[in-house]
Amino acid sequence: MKNLVPILAAVLLGAAACSSSGGGDSGGPVELVMWHGQEDSAAKSLEKLVGAFNRSHPGIRVKMDSGGATADTMLPKVTAGFAADTYPDIAYMYGSWGAALARSPKVPDLKKYVGGPKTGWNDFWPNARQTATVHGKVIGFPAVVDDLTVLYNKKLLAKAGLEPPSPDWTWEEFRSMARRLTDAGSKTYGTTWAVSGGEETTWSLWPLLWQHGGSILSADGRKAAFNSPQGVQALTLVQQMAVQDKSVYLDSTPAEKGQKLFESGRLGLFLSGPWVLSDVKAAGIDYGIAQLPGTNGDHQTVSGPDNWAVFDHGDRRVKAAVEFLTWLTQPEQQLVWMMGTGSLPTRQSVTRLPGYQDFVRRYPGIGVVTDNLANAKQIRPVTAKYPRVSGLVADAIAAVLLGRSDPKSALDDAARKSDALLAVPGQ
């Protein structure tokens, strides 16, 4: 991700301000193309919903397409589409790309469309609205909300003589449990941490930083702040677990092997979220979910909402895209999506639907994850440079956990590089 941001910015800012009128502007049904980037159960659930919309809205026809990309690779796909004028009307885009997208003339401001009661904009969770709104410009609709929690293997905890985590557990308790759950002979690990150099690596550190009173950037966003004493303290705890306790499986993939370890019954504590629940459930693991450990009673967690971004192919298609996304994100449709994927509700009112309790029963522990949204903090500072800053921090974390550096030196080095990057004019 981090290497693609300069390319995206160049294409977005260099693109001609005019937009393609495309098909559907000459009368008849408005045809929309949506690149979803979803796989497996998520793709099937979305296909079901799009089919229902097309049958009930004859004036709009939504063509659902993977875009030839996964969610992870949607950025270069859309970037290429901007350059070739083959971009879609709607695409699933990570929230971290929002600041760059907001600067593009290809991305319309939807603010005038989302104020009415039909849209129910204020029903979305605050952090989801924040991710879809960049410097006052609404770039799309919330697609997914999540937060980081801890999945635990009940069988492994019982075997180690451990009680399930309590609501007020601490990071020292997490460390102790991970140490007792580790068994080199059976290749069972207490927990895991990604060292792949991407957002998966920094994702888990930010809550520790915040709980100690630290921040990612300075208040004005112009300087790195993650190398503060609070940041060093946070990373030192993870280093102690990985290097001293050897209770951490260091995952060189984007958290894929760590998830497989949990699904195979060889990982006790898994820092993850609702996006893995359908797979964990299919694997037959008897699991529980706990909120993140806390520091002095502070259980702040990290949240990374994503968007259905809208792109400009003329007013008629933009309005049709808004109508479709308004329908797609209504509570009833959201519940269908959630039942198929284990995703959290993007709207607060979903929890008041009668069918929500069926969802909670289908995914044991999911109520804890939803309730945890109250502790969730938007992960990304509003700057197009955040993904590159995050990448620098991820490299620092990996160097520490692999024994190549110490927390202070690694974070200071990442901060120097980040400051040079942030000093360049622009968002």
Side-chain angles (χ1 to χ4, degrees):
M1 182 188 302
K2 59 187 177 183
N3 295 326
L4 293 170
V5 173
I7 300 172
L8 173 66
V11 173
L12 293 179
L13 296 178
C18 60
S19 51
S20 170
S21 60
D25 283 359
S26 57
V30 181
E31 296 184 359
L32 302 176
V33 175
M34 178 177 69
W35 290 354
H36 60 84
Q38 306 298 306
E39 300 175 313
D40 303 327
S41 59
K44 291 178 182 177
S45 293
L46 192 58
E47 183 177 5
K48 178 179 179 180
L49 287 165
V50 169
F53 177 84
N54 285 338
R55 289 190 296 273
S56 60
H57 293 73
I60 302 173
R61 176 85 181 167
V62 179
K63 180 183 177 183
M64 176 179 153
D65 194 317
S66 69
T70 64
D72 288 341
T73 59
M74 190 62 73
L75 176 63
K77 185 68 176 180
V78 169
T79 300
F82 281 143
D85 200 28
T86 58
Y87 57 96
D89 297 276
I90 302 165
Y92 184 97
M93 306 294 287
Y94 285 156
S96 57
W97 303 333
L101 290 173
R103 300 166 67 189
S104 172
K106 301 287 188 181
V107 179
D109 187 354
L110 306 182
K111 186 188 300 183
K112 63 182 179 181
Y113 297 110
V114 301
K118 185 177 180 181
T119 305
W121 190 250
N122 289 333
D123 188 29
F124 289 111
W125 296 100
N127 61 341
R129 298 198 307 269
Q130 179 185 359
T131 302
T133 308
V134 182
H135 299 305
K137 180 178 181 179
V138 178
I139 63 172
F141 280 62
V144 166
V145 296
D146 54 31
D147 58 75
L148 192 65
T149 55
V150 178
L151 280 69
Y152 58 89
N153 184 310
K154 292 182 178 180
K155 182 178 178 181
L156 289 181
L157 263 65
K159 183 179 178 181
L162 295 168
E163 293 292 326
S166 66
D168 59 350
W169 68 323
T170 67
W171 284 102
E172 285 304 322
E173 289 176 303
F174 179 91
R175 179 184 177 185
S176 176
M177 291 179 71
R179 187 167 52 237
R180 291 179 59 180
L181 287 163
T182 299
D183 182 355
S186 62
K187 294 185 178 180
T188 300
Y189 295 85
T191 191
T192 183
W193 203 284
V195 289
S196 53
E199 187 94 333
E200 298 83 7
T201 304
T202 56
W203 171 264
S204 301
L205 186 70
W206 296 146
L208 265 168
L209 171 70
W210 296 330
Q211 289 179 16
H212 283 101
S215 58
I216 300 173
L217 300 180
S218 61
D220 61 9
R222 296 180 180 178
K223 298 275 289 184
F226 53 75
N227 62 326
S228 62
Q230 295 92 338
V232 173
Q233 186 178 5
L235 185 51
T236 297
L237 173 65
V238 187
Q239 178 198 38
Q240 291 170 340
M241 295 177 63
V243 179
Q244 296 179 20
D245 303 347
K246 299 189 184 303
S247 63
V248 181
Y249 174 78
L250 299 178
D251 190 353
S252 60
T253 69
E256 295 171 2
K257 289 184 180 178
Q259 180 177 337
K260 294 301 180 186
L261 272 179
F262 191 77
E263 291 172 5
S264 66
R266 292 190 291 122
L267 186 69
L269 304 170
F270 185 25
L271 289 163
S272 192
W275 57 90
V276 303
L277 289 184
S278 59
D279 292 334
V280 169
K281 184 177 175 65
I285 297 297
D286 187 11
Y287 70 92
I289 302 178
Q291 68 176 352
L292 279 192
T295 303
N296 297 322
D298 183 348
H299 291 270
Q300 276 188 89
T301 187
V302 66
S303 178
D306 298 325
N307 297 316
W308 291 115
V310 174
F311 304 115
D312 194 352
H313 284 286
D315 288 347
R316 189 166 181 250
R317 285 167 65 172
V318 168
K319 290 177 182 177
V322 169
E323 182 174 349
F324 167 65
L325 292 174
T326 297
W327 179 91
L328 182 67
T329 59
Q330 288 302 303
E332 294 76 14
Q333 280 70 256
Q334 281 295 293
L335 189 56
V336 172
W337 168 264
M338 291 159 52
M339 289 293 285
T341 63
S343 295
L344 299 186
T346 58
R347 293 179 180 273
Q348 301 172 61
S349 63
V350 176
T351 62
R352 299 191 291 271
L353 292 177
Y356 179 72
Q357 294 307 315
D358 293 332
F359 168 70
V360 171
R361 286 188 288 269
R362 183 180 181 90
Y363 296 98
I366 194 70
V368 173
V369 189
T370 303
D371 293 343
N372 203 40
L373 286 170
N375 295 319
K377 183 175 181 178
Q378 156 67 345
I379 178 175
R380 304 153 179 123
V382 184
T383 167
K385 297 171 184 176
Y386 169 76
R388 296 170 69 189
V389 171
S390 176
L392 292 169
V393 178
D395 291 342
I397 295 170
V400 170
L401 300 190
L402 293 170
R404 297 197 294 258
S405 186
D406 64 89
K408 187 175 190 317
S409 298
L411 290 177
D412 281 346
D413 182 59
R416 282 192 295 271
K417 294 174 181 176
S418 297
D419 286 347
L421 174 67
L422 293 166
V424 178
Q427 291 180 321

